[in-house]
Amino acid sequence: MALLPLRLFLGITFVYAGVQKLSDPGFLHPGAPTYIGTQLHGFAHGTPGGFILRAFALPDPKLAGIGVAIVEIAVGLLVTLGLLTRAAAAVGLGLNLILFLTNSWHAYPYFLGSDIVFVFAWLPLVLAGAEGQPALDNGLERLARSPRMRMAPSGPALSRREVITRSAGAVGAASLLIAGVAAAAKGSYRGTRALAAGTGTRKRAAALAAPHAQHASSHVPAGAVRLGPSKALPAGQGATYNDPSDGQPDIAVRLPDGKLKAYSAVCTHAGCTVGFSGGVIACPCHGATYDPNTGSVTGGPAPQGLAPKRLVESDGQIYAVPT
Ligand code: FES
């Protein structure tokens, strides 16, 4: 019984984690800070579990994200109900182990990454299941003492295996239903967008800069790359673009007072791409946050602030200046 609170916590948390992913408008939206593809790219390189993501998740990040969310909901429901508890806990442990070897690998000190804690939280349930707790597993165990069981006085007799199969099927159907409701309830994505013309590597930047040079305005430095119209970035919004010098992602933010700021969008913790939402520059991978006024760290594991980048506005257009 001492494991019951842990079991309920893990079960409810996994259902919540799956629902939270599917109800996030940015989760399946390329360019959003919480886009699953961005997260997977950040996790897949420089981590011991990265090869798993490169083999199974990166080829289709959206499918992988949806799959993981549905598995989380199913594991959460099974563990909460105490049905197939040890098997479900083993799947939960495996999922958190992969996340520890990818998502949390760069967390320092290691205990600040939650996945390693979840791995050890799952372990007692993998070893002991829901024995001695209120759980469907135990009800089925009692029924199993008779070789056949009758579900209703007039109904057909069912074996224990049949009851488990039907119950697991019902949990699977409930998981899909919950996943569908969560996906349907999500609003449309409004957050960090990509500035249209910011697609350059150094070569591309040179190509984009050339036409501008012919209509040079005295306010725009030579070599600057036009990103798009100023009105595309209203106050309180952010947008990503590719740095004209090296092709790496940068982020432009329009502050509430109208000032334009730009920083490298590469998180200084482990290299995920940051986004701008709710007035904060945030990293989707491990939760680092940065001040949009200065680029300095305001929370999370990032060791230093974001490198500043230079933008200029002229004649209603935004230009990125190579650094
Ligand atoms: S990569 Fe870890 S917080 Fe950004």
Side-chain angles (χ1 to χ4, degrees):
M1 281 298 282
L3 290 179
L4 182 60
L6 180 64
R7 194 188 103 205
L8 294 179
F9 170 77
L10 291 171
I12 292 167
T13 300
F14 256 53
V15 172
Y16 173 75
V19 168
Q20 191 264 341
K21 284 182 180 66
L22 293 173
S23 59
D24 175 355
F27 185 63
L28 299 176
H29 191 290
T34 53
Y35 172 53
I36 178 64
T38 309
Q39 298 184 51
L40 288 172
H41 273 285
F43 303 156
H45 301 286
T47 60
F51 73 96
I52 301 172
L53 302 185
R54 290 195 293 278
F56 300 108
L58 284 186
D60 194 335
K62 291 184 184 179
L63 188 63
I66 292 169
V68 166
I70 291 174
V71 168
E72 284 177 335
I73 293 171
V75 166
L77 286 178
L78 287 169
V79 169
T80 303
L81 295 171
L83 178 65
L84 300 171
T85 310
R86 294 180 69 184
V91 173
L93 188 152
L95 199 54
N96 280 120
L97 189 59
I98 292 173
L99 289 171
F100 169 64
L101 295 173
T102 53
N103 172 17
S104 303
W105 185 253
H106 294 289
Y108 177 82
Y110 70 93
F111 51 78
L112 290 183
S114 62
D115 292 302
I116 187 65
V117 182
F118 272 90
V119 166
F120 283 96
W122 281 118
L123 194 55
L125 293 172
V126 175
L127 296 174
E131 202 174 323
Q133 302 166 23
L136 290 180
D137 281 341
N138 296 327
L140 290 169
E141 195 61 42
R142 279 193 292 277
L143 288 171
R145 292 195 188 111
S146 64
R148 305 291 288 174
M149 64 190 78
R150 195 165 286 283
M151 298 301 288
S154 58
L158 295 175
S159 70
R160 177 171 176 264
R161 180 183 292 273
E162 286 168 329
V163 174
I164 289 177
T165 304
R166 289 188 185 195
S167 304
V171 169
S175 305
L176 290 176
L177 184 66
I178 291 172
V181 170
K186 75 172 169 39
S188 56
Y189 175 70
R190 302 160 194 271
T192 313
R193 295 160 298 124
L195 279 171
T199 54
T201 59
R202 187 186 295 269
K203 209 169 165 185
R204 170 89 173 131
L208 282 170
H212 165 70
Q214 290 168 11
H215 310 286
S217 156
S218 56
H219 299 106
V220 181
V225 174
R226 188 168 67 83
L227 299 177
S230 297
K231 63 177 188 240
L233 201 58
Q237 292 213 3
T240 54
Y241 62 96
N242 289 85
D243 192 283
S245 301
D246 56 15
Q248 290 295 305
D250 291 343
I251 186 164
V253 175
R254 178 83 69 187
L255 300 178
D257 64 4
K259 279 194 195 127
L260 196 57
K261 294 279 185 173
Y263 307 97
S264 165
V266 179
C267 179
T268 59
H269 178 228
C272 290
T273 303
V274 300
F276 182 71
S277 181
V280 173
I281 297 175
C283 178
C285 291
H286 313 105
T289 54
Y290 301 89
D291 184 344
N293 287 286
T294 62
S296 56
V297 180
T298 54
Q304 61 194 57
L306 299 170
K309 299 289 176 175
R310 193 168 158 223
L311 296 179
V312 293
E313 285 188 285
S314 179
D315 298 331
Q317 299 290 328
I318 301 174
Y319 296 85
V321 182
T323 50

